[in-house]
């Protein structure tokens, strides 16, 4: 196989060295690989932090005595289940968003990543409506919109990177369960 030889000016001298395009590409890829790994790790951490930040905001509105006094359906999970489940789901959300961002960047997945950010905001808003305002009715209507936005985010993520969409399916299921629970809490405590 014959390579075309391109002139590349040597850094230490006035002479010229001959480097094949393949060798030049390989040298450039080495720098990109180190840069890419570093940016991938930073990007992953940032997307996970964005998702966890939504959870932190929502956690500022604690259930408290009001929630404890509500009549609950028999299938209401114990309070100890919610924190680990939500933490796991926020981690999945962060990884899913990172995969989409890594694949297409924000400009290449603007709609999907925007939906992701909006649904995170609604995720936090639900805690305020339900626990902060102590209004299961408002929270129920809001969680229905949230569920639809999660579904839209899954579709958008799936188009960019199918595994990213799949990572959000447990979240959609959990919010579906939370919607049914929210509805029952509203109905039982009119």
């Amino acid at each position: 196989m014959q390579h075309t030889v391109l002139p590349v000016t040597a850094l230490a001298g006035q002479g010229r060295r001959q480097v094949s395009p393949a060798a030049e590409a390989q040298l450039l890829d080495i720098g990109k690989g180190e840069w890419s790994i570093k940016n991938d790790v930073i990007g992953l951490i940032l997307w996970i932090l964005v998702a966890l930040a939504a959870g932190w905001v929502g956690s500022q509105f604690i259930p408290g005595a009001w929630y404890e006094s509500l009549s609950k359906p028999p299938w209401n999970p114990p309070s100890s289940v919610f924190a680990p489940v939500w933490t796991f789901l926020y981690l999945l959300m962060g990884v899913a968003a990172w995969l989409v961002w890594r694949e297409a960047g924000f400009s290449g997945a603007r709609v999907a990543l925007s939906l992701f950010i909006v649904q995170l905001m609604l995720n936090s808003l639900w805690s305020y409506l339900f626990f902060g305002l102590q209004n299961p009715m408002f929270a129920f209507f809001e969680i229905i919109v949230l569920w639809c936005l999660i579904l839209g985010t899954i579709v958008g993520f799936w188009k960019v990177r199918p595994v990213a969409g799949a990572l959000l399916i447990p979240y959609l299921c959990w919010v579906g369960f939370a919607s049914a629970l929210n509805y029952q809490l509203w109905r039982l405590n009119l």
Side-chain angles (χ1 to χ4, degrees), residues 37-50:
I37 291 169
K38 180 181 175 185
N39 283 343
D40 282 350
V41 170
I42 291 169
L44 176 61
I45 291 168
L46 288 175
W47 280 109
I48 289 173
L49 288 175
V50 165

Side-chain angles (χ1 to χ4, degrees), residues 96-120:
W98 171 72
L99 286 170
V100 169
W101 170 80
R102 186 172 171 243
E103 183 73 26
F106 197 83
S107 61
R110 184 176 313 277
V111 172
L113 289 172
S114 294
L115 280 172
F116 177 77
I117 298 298
V118 171
Q119 69 80 26
L120 276 180

Side-chain angles (χ1 to χ4, degrees), residues 4 91 112:
T4 307
L91 290 172

